[in-house]
């Protein structure tokens, strides 16, 4: 049982390049989330998807787009990467409600030069 | 504004000592979560607190929730080195559609 799988684990980009971070969960969860973690800032929500077919902005959505491809997969796209987007990105999923915790992937460490 | 404040942000303890991490939040919450993160690793769920007065214990860690005071505590009893990690509280504010707002985390170092 893999849980939440993120790819890639590491990536280095040049400013202005684009890329997509992939996330898949095998727990039949309704809700999926993308966070970024920066030193001393905790986790900040970028986008989330409460259910298949819906997406909404979180606290820090600028410079990102998302796609909920199906119930299992939720991708995060950087259209034109900027050094300020250097961070560790975590994908998470949950049933959404009933006090179930979010389950996190291992993270993607992204550096933008 | 939805705010979650943890303190202390850094905590250095000796093995065998007790200490408490505090998590204050700004408005009505439905649920509160505690997570642990080891360096370079993912987040692991520790506790889910669902109602006022809830208390959960696992080993040397005990979490409690006081919704009237908008306060949760994570109490560490007789700390051991293996508890060294960063601990986050996360609040599911009422009406948030299951979104979590995280505190900045408490970096706990337990020294021999």
């Amino acid at each position: 049982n893999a849980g939440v799988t993120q790819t890639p684990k590491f990536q280095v980009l040049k400013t202005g390049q684009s890329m997509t971070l992939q996330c898949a969960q095998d727990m039949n969860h309704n809700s999926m989330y993308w966070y970024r973690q920066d030193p001393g800032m905790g986790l900040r929500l970028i986008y989330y998807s409460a259910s298949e077919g819906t997406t909404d902005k979180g606290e820090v959505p600028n410079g990102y787009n998302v796609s909920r491809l199906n119930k299992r997969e939720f991708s995060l796209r950087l259209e034109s990467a900027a050094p300020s987007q250097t961070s560790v990105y975590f994908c998470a999923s949950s049933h959404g409600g009933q006090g179930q915790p979010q389950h996190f992937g291992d993270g993607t460490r992204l550096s933008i030069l | 504004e939805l705010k979650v404040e943890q303190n202390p942000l850094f905590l250095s303890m000796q093995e065998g000592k007790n200490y408490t991490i505090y998590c204050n939040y700004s408005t009505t919450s439905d649920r509160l979560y505690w997570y642990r993160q080891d360096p370079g690793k993912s987040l692991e769920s520790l506790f889910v607190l669902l109602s006022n007065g809830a208390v959960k214990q696992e080993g040397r860690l005990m979490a409690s929730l006081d919704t009237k005071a908008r306060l949760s505590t994570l109490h560490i009893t007789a700390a051991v080195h293996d508890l060294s990690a960063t601990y986050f509280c996360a609040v599911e504010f009422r009406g948030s559609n299951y979104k979590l707002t995280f505190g900045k985390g408490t970096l706990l170092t337990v020294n021999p």
Side-chain angles (χ1 to χ4, degrees), chain A residues 37 48 97 99 102 104-105 109, chain B residues 31 35 37 40 42 48 98-99:
Chain A
Q37 184 177 29
Y48 72 105
Q102 293 181 12
F104 285 80
R109 283 145 185 83
Chain B
R31 302 172 184 104
Y35 287 88
Q37 185 181 37
S42 184
V48 179
Y98 314 127
K99 292 184 294 186

Side-chain angles (χ1 to χ4, degrees), chain B residues 47-66:
Chain B
F47 300 110
V48 179
L49 301 170
L50 300 179
S51 60
N52 187 42
V55 177
K56 295 278 185 76
Q57 183 162 6
E58 180 74 32
R60 301 173 187 274
L61 300 177
M62 183 174 70
S64 66
L65 179 61
D66 181 344

Side-chain angles (χ1 to χ4, degrees), chain B residues 12-45:
Chain B
S12 181
M13 319 175 47
Q14 282 188 309
E15 281 190 328
K17 298 292 188 182
N18 304 332
Y19 211 83
T20 301
I21 299 170
Y22 297 89
C23 175
N24 293 273
Y25 53 94
S26 58
T27 187
T28 305
S29 164
D30 283 335
R31 302 172 184 104
L32 191 140
Y33 304 79
W34 283 96
Y35 287 88
R36 169 182 171 144
Q37 185 181 37
D38 292 307
K41 302 294 186 182
S42 184
L43 280 78
E44 172 190 358
S45 176

Side-chain angles (χ1 to χ4, degrees), chain A residues 7 16 36-37 40 46-47 50 57 65 72 76 78 80 86-87 96 99-100 105:
Chain A
T7 56
R36 61 178 289 172
Q37 184 177 29
I46 305 171
Y47 270 92
K57 295 178 181 179
N65 284 300
R72 290 187 64 248
L76 178 71
L78 287 70
S80 179
T86 293
S87 188
Q100 297 299 311

Side-chain angles (χ1 to χ4, degrees), chain A residues 11-67:
Chain A
Q11 185 71 47
V12 179
L13 293 178
K14 294 181 180 178
T15 297
Q17 288 185 317
S18 62
M19 81 161 294
T20 300
L21 280 62
Q22 306 286 354
C23 176
Q25 53 92 8
D26 62 4
M27 295 174 283
N28 200 34
H29 285 165
N30 294 318
S31 301
M32 297 186 73
Y33 311 84
W34 276 106
Y35 295 90
R36 61 178 289 172
Q37 184 177 29
D38 302 294
M41 297 295 291
L43 275 77
R44 293 182 292 169
L45 183 66
I46 305 171
Y47 270 92
Y48 72 105
S49 171
S51 60
E52 186 179 356
T54 68
T55 60
D56 282 292
K57 295 178 181 179
E59 182 184 354
V60 288
N62 291 345
Y64 305 95
N65 284 300
V66 290
S67 295

